[in-house]
Structure formats: C-alpha cells, structure tokens
Amino acid sequence: NGSATNTAGNNLIPSAGTGGCTVPPQTTGGTIFNNTVAGLPAGTTLAQVRVNFTHTFCSDIDMYLFAPNGQIIELSTDNGGGGDNYTNTIFNDAAAISITAGTPPFTGTFRPEGTLTASACGTTITPTVTTLGGFTAGQNGVWTLRIKDDVGSDAGTMLNWSLTFLPPPIQPCAQNFDGVTAPALPTGWTSTTLTDCASSNPWATTNTGFNSA
C-alpha cells in the first residue's frame, strides 16, 4: 500500500493551503505520496491503482502516477465539477468507462484519463504513457502519486491508496503426450520441449515435441 502521509509529513491535499497554481505545493511539484515497491520479478505489470481520499471540489484535482523510471500517466484531471471525494476509486485499463465519464465520489472502476497533454500548474507535468499497461514491466522502487489542486478555497485528506501488480504470464501447457514417441523430425524442423497438461504437476513434467524452424 502507498503511504497516506505525503512528503510534507501530513495527509492533507494539498499538503499546504487550499490550492492554486501560484502557491506551494503546486509550485514545487504537487502533493506527493510515495509507495516503495520491492521484489517484483521481471515481467510483472501494473494492473490497477486504487485511491481513497476526501476533497471538497473534485475538479480542482490533477492526479498523476509516476513510475520509478520516470514514466508518467494522467489518472484524472479537472473531473467531477463541484462534487466531493474520490472514494475507493479504481483505475484499470479494462474498465468499461473512463474517469472522465464518472461522477463524484467516483466509486467503482474507471479507465485512467490517459492523455499526453502537458499540465502547467505551478510546475509542468507531461504524461508519457496513456495506459497502465504502458508502464515498463517489473519496476521496483518508489512509485509516486502526485496531486495538484489548481484552484484555491478547497482541500481534502488522503485516507489510503494502493497499487496492484500482476505476475508475468505463465507459458501455457501443451496437450497430453504421455506414451507418445515423437516422430523423426522433417528436414528444416527443430525440436522443442512441451509441458504436459495431464501431469498432476503440469509445470514439472515435460515431453519432447517439435515445431517448424
């Protein structure tokens, strides 16, 4: 899970004041919440982002996720009008609707906004990927949720947030080859090893088959 305490040492959104592009923390990069990820194997992909925070004017919120390697996705910017809160909001590429079509408190699952449009509020943030699947796989390190509040007079509190990763896909097993002797290979073909679906431990038993070169 990500930290509900921002880098300023509190759980406020924004971390100081009530927002506006000409004042901190917008002028210093936004309100930053870190999530240190370790132990991901190669090929592990980011499946979803869940956020849960209060705020009394949703369309003030510009929200981005930064990966350890510097890649950036726009999760949601200026959505929700004068409604309140992002309550257990899940961003997932497979969602039926975009966050731009949602309404506060955005409870449910939505696709990230995902544009590549640069946002200049205090500092400039330029997204580099349009989907969660666009992030380079297997990234260990510090992921950061960055939130800017682009208009004054409203504020909120981070309750919790998290990232969900999927392991790399397992190579599918082949058909049952028990008791079958592979024929001589035709000219130009090469042998390969196939996993036996019929085994009680299908990832441990292999038999020899062939495929075209």
Side-chain angles (χ1 to χ4, degrees):
N1 290 336
S3 176
T5 301
N6 56 49
T7 54
N10 58 59
N11 63 352
L12 302 178
I13 301 171
S15 58
T18 61
C21 292
T22 61
V23 297
Q26 285 65 239
T27 55
T28 57
T31 300
I32 300 171
F33 297 91
N34 289 333
N35 189 338
T36 301
V37 174
L40 295 180
T44 301
T45 55
L46 179 62
Q48 66 182 35
V49 181
R50 183 184 60 83
V51 298
N52 190 27
F53 62 87
T54 66
H55 196 278
T56 53
F57 207 94
C58 282
S59 67
D60 287 358
I61 295 295
D62 300 341
M63 180 172 25
Y64 300 85
L65 182 69
F66 284 59
N69 70 351
Q71 290 175 303
I72 306 166
I73 190 170
E74 174 194 31
L75 295 175
S76 179
T77 59
D78 301 323
N79 295 307
D84 298 349
N85 308 332
Y86 278 79
T87 303
N88 288 319
T89 305
I90 295 171
F91 295 96
N92 187 303
D93 291 342
I97 64 172
S98 169
I99 192 68
T100 60
T103 56
F106 297 109
T107 301
T109 304
F110 305 89
R111 295 190 306 276
E113 187 159 346
T115 77
L116 297 177
T117 303
S119 172
C121 177
T123 60
T124 299
I125 294 177
T126 304
T128 60
V129 298
T130 60
T131 64
L132 299 181
F135 283 113
T136 300
Q139 291 196 56
N140 291 294
V142 180
W143 293 74
T144 62
L145 183 68
R146 299 199 183 203
I147 299 175
K148 291 187 177 183
D149 185 324
D150 57 22
V151 180
S153 301
D154 290 273
T157 300
M158 175 61 72
L159 302 176
N160 48 72
W161 71 285
S162 63
L163 304 176
T164 300
F165 294 87
L166 289 179
I170 298 173
Q171 182 176 352
C173 62
Q175 67 188 50
N176 182 11
F177 286 94
D178 286 347
V180 176
T181 300
L185 299 179
T187 301
W189 287 46
T190 58
S191 64
T192 189
T193 299
L194 300 177
T195 303
D196 189 344
C197 290
S199 168
S200 59
N201 183 1
W203 309 117
T205 303
T206 59
N207 290 276
T208 300
F210 55 87
N211 64 281
S212 60

